[in-house]
Amino acid sequence: MSRPGAGFLAKKSTQPSSEKIPTLGKAQVEPYAWHFKRKLAALSPNGEPPKKATGTDQVVGLGLVAVSLIIFTYYTIWVILLPFIDSQHVIHKYFLPRAYAVGIPLAVGLLLLLFVGLFITCVMLKNQKVTKKVQ
Amino acid sequence: MTKLAQWLWGLALLGSTWAALTMGPTLGLELPLTCREVLWPLPAYLLVTVGCFALGTVGYRVATFHDCEDAALELQTQIQEARADLARKGLRF
């Protein structure tokens, strides 16, 4: 009995099918009413179904997904597939020399670290200025 | 063993395997040229893959997160109340 209402329905199904389908009286529904109230509460307070993500959220999210997929496929082809392709094939024209396959992520990683460090420095300096003003 | 220790252990194993295979030719182990070509950028490749996966997951969750406008309004009124309260008590923003 995974669902709370399943016990109620299971009781009904043990009756022979020749009987007419019983109607639900208030006494039978009442104990399970809190389940329905919880389900309603899980919807928004107005009783509407939960809204989807809107507008810019979807655009930004799908943009991030697309960017990550593009980077992943390009990098995978570059690092893993190209060595197995004949060096005279035309596809090699679209990919930089192999040394950049390690150089570019390394440079980007160092830049990221630089920005994170700069951000932390700025925040710490701002905090120090605020505490000096208060003193 | 803590999670950190497990991760470091796994990374150390993978790193030492990679180092042994890439510096193998200098010690006498001969691999075909294509395998060596694929092998030596592997750590960078794994890092980029993990980064792309993280970015993609964040983007997907941003795109599918449900809006709760009532909760947003409630939160904004609470923020304004808190700002007014704290400003009365003397905290400057």
Side-chain angles (χ1 to χ4, degrees):
Chain A
M1 245 196 285
S2 52
R3 279 178 24 248
F8 179 79
L9 291 173
K11 271 186 258 166
K12 287 296 172 187
S13 63
T14 53
Q15 293 174 352
S17 52
S18 57
E19 285 189 9
K20 66 173 179 142
I21 299 170
T23 51
L24 298 176
K26 192 166 180 188
Q28 290 147 334
V29 170
E30 199 118 87
Y32 299 93
W34 72 273
H35 297 291
F36 301 106
K37 282 188 193 155
R38 257 188 64 209
K39 280 213 172 123
L40 271 179
L43 309 174
S44 70
N46 298 338
E48 301 158 8
K51 302 188 181 99
K52 277 174 36 123
T54 52
T56 43
D57 275 355
Q58 272 184 322
V59 171
V60 168
L62 293 176
L64 278 179
V65 171
V67 162
S68 80
L69 276 178
I70 290 175
I71 294 180
F72 177 68
T73 43
Y74 186 84
Y75 202 66
T76 306
I77 298 178
W78 197 7
V79 170
I80 302 218
L81 295 184
L82 276 194
F84 295 104
I85 298 180
D86 183 37
S87 63
Q88 304 302 323
H89 200 280
V90 72
I91 202 171
H92 283 267
K93 189 168 57 120
Y94 295 103
F95 292 93
L96 295 169
R98 223 164 142 67
Y100 288 99
V102 171
I104 292 183
L106 200 66
V108 168
L110 287 176
L111 272 176
L112 265 175
L113 279 179
L114 180 73
F115 281 130
V116 167
L118 280 175
F119 179 74
I120 293 178
T121 316
C122 286
V123 168
M124 279 173 59
L125 284 177
K126 235 198 285 182
N127 266 355
Q128 275 185 348
K129 258 192 245 170
V130 166
T131 49
K132 266 198 207 141
K133 241 202 230 176
V134 168
Q135 283 169 7
Chain B
M1 206 189 257
T2 64
K3 273 293 173 193
L4 177 66
Q6 279 176 350
W7 277 90
L8 286 177
W9 189 241
L11 279 178
L13 270 176
L14 288 174
S16 55
T17 318
W18 175 82
L21 284 175
T22 30
M23 305 211 283
T26 61
L27 301 171
L29 179 71
E30 276 303 321
L31 285 174
L33 189 64
T34 48
C35 284
R36 262 186 284 145
E37 278 277 298
V38 170
L39 196 66
W40 82 266
L42 259 190
Y45 176 74
L46 289 174
L47 270 177
V48 170
T49 309
V50 165
C52 282
F53 174 71
L55 197 68
T57 311
V58 165
Y60 178 70
R61 296 284 178 210
V62 164
T64 53
F65 196 77
H66 290 162
D67 265 355
C68 315
E69 282 175 7
D70 302 315
L73 281 174
E74 194 183 332
L75 189 64
Q76 276 168 354
T77 50
Q78 282 180 348
I79 289 175
Q80 281 165 355
E81 283 175 31
R83 287 180 88 114
D85 193 26
L86 287 172
R88 257 187 296 120
K89 292 187 179 154
L91 188 68
R92 258 178 306 116
F93 287 96

